[in-house]
Amino acid sequence: MKIKLTKALPEQLKTPPASMSGVVFGTVFSDHMFCMEWDDGKGWHSAQIKPYGPLTLEPSSMVLHYAQMSFEGLKAYKLESGEHGLFRPRENFKRMNLTSKRMCLPELDVEEMLDALKQLLRLDSGWVPGEEGTSLYIRPTILATEKAIGLKVSSKYLFYIILSPVGPYYPQGFNPVNIMVSEKYVRAVPGGVGNAKTGGNYAASILAEKEAKELGYTQVLWLDAVERRYIEEVGSMNIFFVINDTIVTPMLTGSILPGITRMSLLELGKHWGLKVEERRITIEEVLQGLKDGSVTEVFGAGTAAVVSPVGILSYKGEDCQVGNGETGPVAMQFYEHLTGIQYGHESDPFGWMEMI
Ligand code: COI
């Protein structure tokens, strides 16, 4: 794929933050972005890297009305060796293609996109932060851009990739977060788009999260939409439980995002010889287990959230403490090994890191 390059002028170049402490996640962007367009009958075309800046969209662009879109989240890390590496980037572009199937978006060539991303990252390499726990968050996005108010499959799309240097997603960092189980709202329904990484899933979660935050909780834990019993995910991360020394996460039923960090923790756990289960888990099982001590840890896993211990789970107005409310040993082991591979402190037996 031929990529046109327009570099930012010296006066357009920004200075990356000297330190990521105090920078709110996802609010600072690098100097350049990758863009390409898709038209019916023509396919993807006009690939270019250009200065980061506003998009020009018709107010009638279909994405602005009907949300036909998809996005991804992956990260580039500065390794101990000084090299820059991506964590399992092909998995993100493959998942983007799965979302595209469900949302009727055009698919991407995984290897071409990886090559385009690497070119962008080489140009903005000064934006990969080096402090512990920091990374360059990468946001590929596809939008339906046909100007039409009628509901149909768009005939035009825009794909772009932007880069944002980030520290921890939650202000708590790696300290336990408090999570409220949503009783009033649901995130996704069987046959819906819960397993697609599309904006509507996140838009649908905002009110519940706002209400949870007003009550002092960081995030919402979603239950299934039919029986309102089976645990699904947190919305910004998948969820794991340690139950009688077994690592358990909800099985992918179609309404849960197939997280790449989720998949990596399952693979790591199996590699270590730990007992790992993907199955349906009810909220009653977890609450009972927290009371009788069989559930010893709860933690989330996601690209932005990495591994995030849960200190309190609140259900029907009752706060249940997880263990002693501190980070447990399994969450700690996963966090240290996963970030160890990502920053090059640990060996990478699975070949997960892709050097830039
Ligand atoms: C990610 O973890 O990469 C996501 O896209 C979640 C988002 C809420 C930041």
Side-chain angles (χ1 to χ4, degrees):
M1 188 176 51
K2 177 122 185 50
I3 302 175
K4 181 179 164 209
L5 174 62
T6 310
K7 284 193 187 174
L9 299 169
E11 61 270 26
Q12 289 177 307
L13 292 173
K14 299 168 285 189
T15 309
S19 160
M20 292 312 297
S21 68
V23 177
V24 176
F25 184 97
T27 54
V28 172
F29 298 93
S30 77
D31 286 320
H32 296 92
M33 63 197 286
F34 172 84
C35 294
M36 65 180 182
E37 290 164 46
W38 190 95
D39 281 86
D40 224 357
K42 199 169 170 190
W44 289 113
H45 63 92
S46 306
Q48 58 169 323
I49 290 176
K50 61 180 192 178
Y52 173 93
L55 303 174
T56 304
L57 284 182
E58 295 273 347
S60 55
S61 292
M62 291 182 65
V63 66
L64 302 177
H65 304 267
Y66 308 123
Q68 193 198 352
M69 68 85 66
S70 150
F71 72 92
E72 268 302 325
L74 66 159
K75 283 174 172 173
Y77 303 84
K78 184 168 189 164
L79 280 78
E80 209 170 54
S81 60
E83 290 170 288
H84 292 161
L86 290 159
F87 183 71
R88 311 190 79 174
R90 289 181 181 79
E91 298 302 330
N92 290 88
F93 289 118
K94 283 196 243 164
R95 185 173 65 184
M96 195 160 209
N97 281 342
L98 289 179
T99 300
S100 288
K101 281 201 176 81
R102 180 64 180 85
M103 302 304 292
C104 294
L105 301 162
E107 290 182 38
L108 300 163
D109 182 298
V110 171
E111 293 306 320
E112 273 185 2
M113 283 310 97
L114 186 52
D115 182 58
L117 173 59
K118 284 185 182 178
Q119 290 190 43
L120 177 66
L121 288 167
R122 285 188 198 117
L123 186 63
D124 279 357
S125 62
W127 287 85
V128 183
E131 286 165 282
E132 199 181 320
T134 64
S135 55
L136 188 64
Y137 188 85
I138 300 161
R139 175 51 60 87
T141 306
I142 307 178
L143 309 177
T145 51
E146 184 181 335
K147 33 181 189 169
I149 294 285
L151 179 60
K152 63 185 182 86
V153 177
S154 174
S155 63
K156 287 171 85 64
Y157 297 89
L158 173 68
F159 171 78
Y160 62 84
I161 306 177
I162 53 173
L163 310 173
S164 174
V166 296
Y169 183 67
Y170 297 120
Q172 292 88 335
F174 185 57
N175 296 318
V177 291
N178 297 340
I179 283 183
M180 193 181 119
V181 179
S182 177
E183 293 162 60
K184 200 163 149 197
Y185 308 106
V186 294
R187 173 185 171 275
V189 296
V193 294
N195 59 353
K197 202 154 174 73
T198 190
N201 284 329
Y202 296 79
S205 73
I206 289 173
L207 178 60
E209 282 182 12
K210 177 175 171 279
E211 291 180 1
K213 279 199 179 115
E214 283 161 6
L215 295 170
Y217 302 95
T218 310
Q219 289 275 313
V220 166
L221 180 65
W222 297 104
L223 301 179
D224 79 282
V226 179
E227 296 187 52
R228 307 271 182 118
R229 293 182 67 206
Y230 294 100
I231 292 172
E232 301 232 304
E233 61 163 89
V234 174
S236 55
M237 54 187 190
N238 294 112
I239 191 93
F240 284 77
F241 303 89
V242 180
I243 309 178
N244 291 322
D245 292 326
T246 299
I247 296 154
V248 186
T249 192
M251 63 194 276
L252 300 176
T253 50
S255 47
I256 297 174
L257 189 83
I260 291 153
T261 311
R262 172 190 183 278
M263 173 168 79
S264 304
L265 297 196
L266 290 172
E267 290 172 28
L268 266 180
K270 284 180 199 152
H271 177 72
W272 293 332
L274 301 176
K275 278 183 277 167
V276 166
E277 282 177 8
E278 289 175 81
R279 63 169 170 87
R280 301 199 88 185
I281 310 158
T282 61
I283 185 67
E284 293 86 1
E285 176 184 354
V286 169
L287 295 175
Q288 181 55 41
L290 287 174
K291 287 190 182 124
D292 67 24
S294 55
V295 173
T296 48
E297 288 186 52
V298 181
F299 54 92
T303 298
V306 194
V307 174
S308 240
V310 175
I312 286 178
L313 206 58
S314 168
Y315 184 56
K316 297 198 168 164
E318 195 191 332
D319 279 359
C320 300
Q321 184 168 292
V322 179
N324 59 4
E326 304 290 322
T327 302
V330 177
M332 185 66 91
Q333 189 183 358
F334 274 133
Y335 178 82
E336 285 185 345
H337 276 258
L338 184 71
T339 56
I341 292 172
Q342 290 165 337
Y343 293 102
H345 315 307
E346 294 280 343
S347 65
D348 176 15
F350 312 97
W352 282 342
M353 295 306 288
E354 174 81 21
M355 290 307 134
I356 301 159

